[in-house]
Amino acid sequence: MTGKDTPKKIAALGSMCGITSQYWDNFGRRHRTSQATYRDLLSAMGVEWKDPEGLDREIARRRLGSWGALLSPVQLIKPAPTLAEATVRIWFPGPEPPAAVDVLGEMASETGARYRWERQLEVAGRLKSQVVPGGFRIAMQLPLPADLEMGYYDLTLKVRSGGREESGRTRLIAAPPQAYAPGWLEEGRRAWGFNLPLYALRSRTNWGVGDFADLMTVIRWAGPLGAAFVGVNPLHAAGGRATADPSPYSPTSRIFLNVLYLSLEAAPEMAACREAQDLVASPEFQALKARLAASSLVSYREVYLLKRRVLKLLYETFCQAHGGPEAPSRSDRGEEFARFVAAGGESLARFGQFSALVDQLQEGDWRRWPGPYQQPESPAVAEFARQHGKEVRFYQYGQWLAATQLGQVCQVAQQQGLPFTLYEDLALGASPGGFDTWAHQELFTRGPSIGAPPDAFNPQGQNWGLPPLIPERLRASGYQLFIDTLRANLPPGGMLRMDHVMGLFRLLWIPHGVEASQGAYVTYPARELLAILALESVRRRALIIGEDLGTVPPHIRRELGKTGVFSYRVFYFERDGNRHFLAPEAYPARVMATVTTHDLPTLTGFWQGHDLALKRKLNLYPDADLAEADAAARELDRRFLLEDLGRRGLLPEGADVKPEPGDSCPLELREAILDYLAQSEAALMEVRLEEVFGVAEQQNLPGTIREHPNWRVKLPLTLDQMEQSPEPARLAARLNKARSR
């Protein structure tokens, strides 16, 4: 039975768990968190609220916060040369604290180095204290071993006080104050580079989807043009079935790679596998490959089946030549694979098991598997792994080839002299039925999804269908999944774009079955997440770009800037007080500037109003008035665009450019807009290949699933045609001139 004050208690508990009471969308409308939303989200977090006693107990525990235990799960400390200290909250029966306590400590570093000490800690001075159940706690600073380098340390303590012994454990994070940025950028140099959807590349050699060999080709011709980097969509592992969601932003795992990007003809085993050579050379195979390569849309199912068939043959050849999963390695290459598997540890082992189970059960969503297989630690999964070792190792072999080829991509960039090895993209989350959620079920919710409130480009809001991580549990785990995810995606010497970087601070959680606007923002421990990001960035000398578009409170951009995370600025959105496009000199320096993104209209599509026509056709507008308002705003945008470019003298005299939408966006206009952006103070600028060649179709139309061929549209030209076209070189000359000081 609930009391009259239960709704207030539930709201209070929700606030303690990070659920905010309200938010404002980009239209300035306030959305209050309803009781139903509080209850749904608390349930998803595994927090008790239905039973009155449990509700009171949860509130009381959270009111204590860090005072409820000897050590908090995570603590930030300063690396050498600063002498580090850990905060310890020591219990005593009270009211007078003891004069001293006995402390036994053990600390382990990532390298396995161990520190042990036993000492008596004097309780002296004015110390913070707190009444807790059964007594009191005082907060003391525990000196740690001197000269701790950057990294992670697991500290275990035993404290004897007041006739009671208490134990605790914490992860210490010794992080630098800022993420990495190369010195030449700090000196004021400005750079530009290409960004492209890897899956959309066409070439003479690929099998219907762009691959790592194609990416190397782009890097080889981009470097001499003056590009500082080449960026790609997320390379995360896709769903294990041929019918999986093709979105690179809804992967089965953010830790492993998508083997569809493998160039199988470049795999070492291809030269030794006669069966694979004969298959690839067969008329049937060549005809299918030619059809898939010529198609204007990526056929993921057919490409998956084609590549899997050949990859299986290559794996058999590897096992015969170098040793199978149960046999000792018989060569240097076999030893190399064994080291890769050992370094991958439990995570790679689990991934192989998951992928083999997908095959065995013919089901890509683990939530639909028989019960015994739904838990990775179950005896059924262990027995399956024992009986299907070869199949498990097959998927590890695919990851090895992919990691090797991705490393070769970075080597090619270094050989070409590009300042950045690769510009990678990190998706915000993983699919609800995929590997990451299977392997780490305790960290993810079931039911709610994350998304975004209504804005000008998505009037109905967005539900991305991705399960959120539970902040409290993520912190209790020492953020290991977040650390592993960064390590898997930070290219050494490159850049990483973090999709929806606001997720380090807060995410919109949407209960199952309701509109995005009825969700609520849930806060995350941003200070600790940013410290980890800075640490991993510095270790890999990789610059961080934070995609900070949409509903962004000012304090989030300030905190990201303090941590050295570069902002992401889209030309369409950067306006002055009169809605004119922001002048180049008004751009901040520490940003990546771009005309558009994969979720927005291409430059040609923007000029034509192609995106607006699609929204009308697919009924994505909640009312006709909003559609008319968008059309009127776009007409004004075109006029402002010509005025702003004209004032800068960027349009050639006599250029036939009119402020009305046309069949295409004239080359002169595309180059002028990119030149305008290149003149900005932004340290970095990305140019999407769609802008270079005047592509109208955008890669993804938010709010659609089957209505639009999202993530499937190929670029119209082959790599050979791109390289032979005069347009990239002509554009590059303008960009190099505009970007030089």
Side-chain angles (χ1 to χ4, degrees):
M1 186 173 179
T2 59
K4 292 182 180 179
D5 60 346
T6 296
K8 288 185 178 180
K9 287 184 176 181
I10 288 173
L13 177 59
S15 177
M16 293 174 187
C17 293
I19 304 171
T20 59
S21 62
Q22 59 188 2
Y23 73 87
W24 279 262
D25 64 25
N26 275 6
F27 298 111
R29 297 177 302 210
R30 180 163 63 176
H31 300 259
R32 297 183 186 274
T33 303
S34 68
Q35 268 292 301
T37 296
Y38 274 125
R39 296 179 185 205
D40 283 345
L41 300 190
L42 285 171
S43 294
M45 292 177 178
V47 177
E48 177 59 52
W49 62 266
K50 296 179 182 178
D51 173 69
E53 291 182 1
L55 176 59
D56 290 339
R57 189 165 53 248
E58 291 283 355
I59 290 174
R61 181 170 72 83
R62 282 177 170 77
R63 277 182 178 154
L64 279 177
S66 57
W67 289 100
L70 177 70
L71 294 167
S72 58
V74 172
Q75 293 191 44
L76 300 181
I77 61 173
K78 294 182 178 180
T82 304
L83 292 177
E85 296 178 319
T87 301
V88 185
R89 292 177 174 83
I90 296 171
W91 178 90
F92 60 98
E96 290 297 323
V101 294
D102 295 321
V103 178
L104 175 64
E106 181 172 336
M107 193 166 72
S109 73
E110 299 165 87
T111 61
R114 292 191 173 274
Y115 310 81
R116 287 178 59 89
W117 69 92
E118 188 169 2
R119 68 174 64 136
Q120 194 174 66
L121 198 61
E122 291 187 5
V123 180
R126 296 172 64 95
L127 302 173
K128 290 183 179 180
S129 64
Q130 174 71 37
V131 178
V132 298
F136 301 80
R137 284 193 187 274
I138 50 174
M140 300 182 62
Q141 296 304 116
L142 175 71
L144 297 172
D147 300 326
L148 292 179
E149 299 297 329
M150 289 190 306
Y152 308 96
Y153 302 86
D154 290 326
L155 172 65
T156 302
L157 286 183
K158 286 184 180 178
V159 176
R160 298 185 186 94
S161 169
R164 187 175 89 163
E165 183 176 278
E166 186 178 19
S167 298
R169 183 182 178 89
T170 185
R171 168 160 284 182
L172 304 173
I173 303 174
Q178 285 198 326
Y180 171 79
W184 58 269
L185 268 188
E186 301 291 358
E187 293 166 2
R189 285 177 58 191
R190 298 177 300 168
W192 67 274
F194 291 116
N195 202 326
L196 56 93
L198 181 55
Y199 54 86
L201 293 183
R202 299 171 183 261
S203 73
R204 289 179 290 104
T205 58
N206 78 41
W207 297 7
V209 67
D211 57 31
F212 290 133
D214 292 336
L215 183 53
M216 292 183 208
T217 298
V218 173
I219 289 172
R220 288 190 181 100
W221 64 258
L225 290 176
F229 58 85
V230 172
V232 292
N233 53 272
L235 303 175
H236 313 317
R241 300 287 293 151
T243 55
D245 182 354
S247 171
Y249 293 90
S250 183
T252 188
S253 174
R254 297 190 295 168
I255 294 175
F256 297 102
L257 293 166
N258 189 342
V259 294
L260 276 190
Y261 295 132
L262 276 172
S263 171
L264 292 180
E265 287 172 311
E269 279 66 55
M270 180 62 85
C273 184
R274 184 61 188 220
E275 192 175 355
Q277 294 171 20
D278 290 344
L279 173 62
V280 172
S282 68
E284 176 192 5
F285 191 98
Q286 286 295 314
L288 178 56
K289 175 187 166 186
R291 179 173 64 79
L292 293 174
S295 172
S296 61
L297 298 177
V298 178
S299 176
Y300 287 97
R301 179 179 182 278
E302 291 182 290
V303 174
Y304 172 85
L305 294 174
L306 196 68
K307 289 203 168 187
R308 176 186 168 83
R309 188 177 173 190
V310 175
L311 187 59
K312 281 276 191 181
L313 296 175
L314 300 184
Y315 174 61
E316 290 292 341
T317 295
F318 173 85
C319 291
Q320 292 166 12
H322 307 290
E326 306 303 329
S329 300
R330 297 195 292 268
S331 66
D332 290 344
R333 183 160 172 76
E335 289 290 345
E336 184 183 342
F337 179 47
R339 287 192 295 271
F340 176 82
V341 172
E346 183 180 274
S347 184
L348 181 58
R350 293 276 191 234
F351 182 76
Q353 294 162 12
F354 176 87
S355 302
L357 278 165
V358 168
D359 274 354
Q360 179 74 15
L361 302 173
Q362 294 293 291
E363 174 55 66
D365 188 333
W366 64 266
R367 297 170 299 176
R368 299 192 185 103
W369 291 355
Y373 296 115
Q374 290 189 7
Q375 298 294 329
E377 300 87 2
S378 72
V381 172
E383 179 61 26
F384 174 84
R386 280 192 293 271
Q387 294 182 7
H388 298 82
K390 192 170 185 180
E391 291 90 337
V392 170
R393 193 60 62 95
F394 165 69
Y395 286 99
Q396 296 171 333
Y397 170 77
Q399 288 300 309
W400 179 47
L401 292 184
T404 301
Q405 291 192 2
L406 185 57
Q408 291 167 350
V409 167
C410 293
Q411 290 173 7
V412 168
Q414 290 177 322
Q415 293 164 3
Q416 292 295 316
L418 273 71
F420 295 101
T421 56
L422 191 62
Y423 174 25
E424 291 196 47
D425 200 346
L426 176 62
L428 178 60
S431 64
F435 169 73
D436 284 358
T437 57
W438 179 73
H440 305 281
Q441 292 176 43
E442 72 285 357
L443 300 182
F444 290 90
T445 65
R446 291 203 201 183
S449 300
I450 51 181
D455 59 32
F457 274 85
N458 303 284
Q460 296 177 323
Q462 297 179 66
N463 185 327
W464 300 321
L466 303 173
L469 286 159
I470 302 170
E472 187 175 67
R473 294 185 183 178
L474 180 64
R475 187 169 191 258
S477 73
Y479 301 108
Q480 192 59 53
L481 179 59
F482 181 63
I483 295 167
D484 291 344
T485 301
L486 289 177
R487 289 176 173 174
N489 290 278
L490 280 165
M495 295 189 289
L496 181 69
R497 174 190 180 274
M498 297 186 69
D499 193 48
H500 197 77
V501 73
M502 293 83 75
L504 298 175
F505 296 80
R506 65 175 196 171
L507 282 172
L508 185 72
W509 288 26
I510 307 166
H512 180 70
V514 305
E515 297 293 329
S517 60
Q518 295 176 263
Y521 275 101
V522 174
T523 60
Y524 283 75
R527 185 165 169 261
E528 292 168 351
L529 292 169
L530 286 171
I532 293 169
L533 181 61
L535 171 56
E536 296 300 334
S537 162
V538 167
R539 281 181 160 178
R540 283 157 184 75
R541 298 175 66 82
L543 186 142
I544 307 297
I545 311 292
E547 189 264 295
D548 50 352
L549 306 177
T551 306
V552 191
H555 79 274
I556 288 182
R557 275 189 170 150
R558 285 197 300 269
E559 290 303 313
L560 290 170
K562 288 178 185 176
T563 312
V565 176
F566 277 47
S567 183
Y568 192 71
R569 300 299 172 92
V570 175
F571 174 73
Y572 296 154
F573 300 151
E574 297 301 307
R575 308 295 183 101
D576 62 20
N578 297 316
R579 284 202 77 247
H580 275 271
F581 292 90
L582 194 66
E585 57 271 15
Y587 276 74
R590 294 174 69 86
V591 307
M592 171 73 83
T594 180
V595 169
T596 185
T597 76
H598 54 266
D599 284 335
L600 295 173
T602 65
L603 191 48
T604 294
F606 183 84
W607 181 260
Q608 293 176 342
H610 181 64
D611 58 314
L612 306 185
L614 268 179
K615 286 181 184 180
R616 282 179 180 269
K617 179 181 177 181
L618 301 176
N619 297 316
L620 296 182
Y621 282 108
D623 58 67
D625 289 344
L626 191 53
E628 293 298 329
D630 270 5
R634 186 64 58 82
E635 183 178 351
L636 190 61
D637 285 343
R638 284 188 285 265
R639 293 183 183 277
F640 282 169
L641 192 52
L642 294 180
E643 290 176 17
D644 296 338
L645 295 174
R647 275 196 295 268
R648 295 270 166 178
L650 293 174
L651 289 173
E653 285 189 32
D656 186 20
V657 178
K658 299 184 177 67
E660 290 82 24
D663 293 334
S664 65
C665 182
L667 173 62
E668 297 89 345
L669 180 60
R670 298 200 311 272
E671 289 187 344
I673 292 170
L674 291 167
D675 195 340
Y676 182 96
L677 194 58
Q679 293 179 24
S680 75
E681 293 299 311
L684 298 165
M685 173 191 173
E686 69 176 41
V687 179
R688 298 188 69 86
L689 288 188
E690 293 96 323
E691 314 329 317
V692 180
F693 299 105
V695 179
E697 204 72 55
Q698 66 194 71
Q699 287 297 316
N700 180 53
L701 184 63
T704 64
I705 299 175
R706 296 180 180 84
E707 304 93 331
H708 184 265
N710 296 326
W711 316 114
R712 297 178 60 208
V713 179
K714 292 186 186 179
L715 297 175
L717 303 179
T718 67
L719 290 181
D720 285 344
Q721 290 170 329
M722 289 183 193
E723 197 167 358
Q724 293 163 10
S725 168
E727 293 180 15
R730 192 169 74 180
L731 174 63
R734 291 186 70 165
L735 298 180
N736 290 330
K737 181 180 178 181
R739 299 256 85 191
S740 65
R741 292 289 186 184

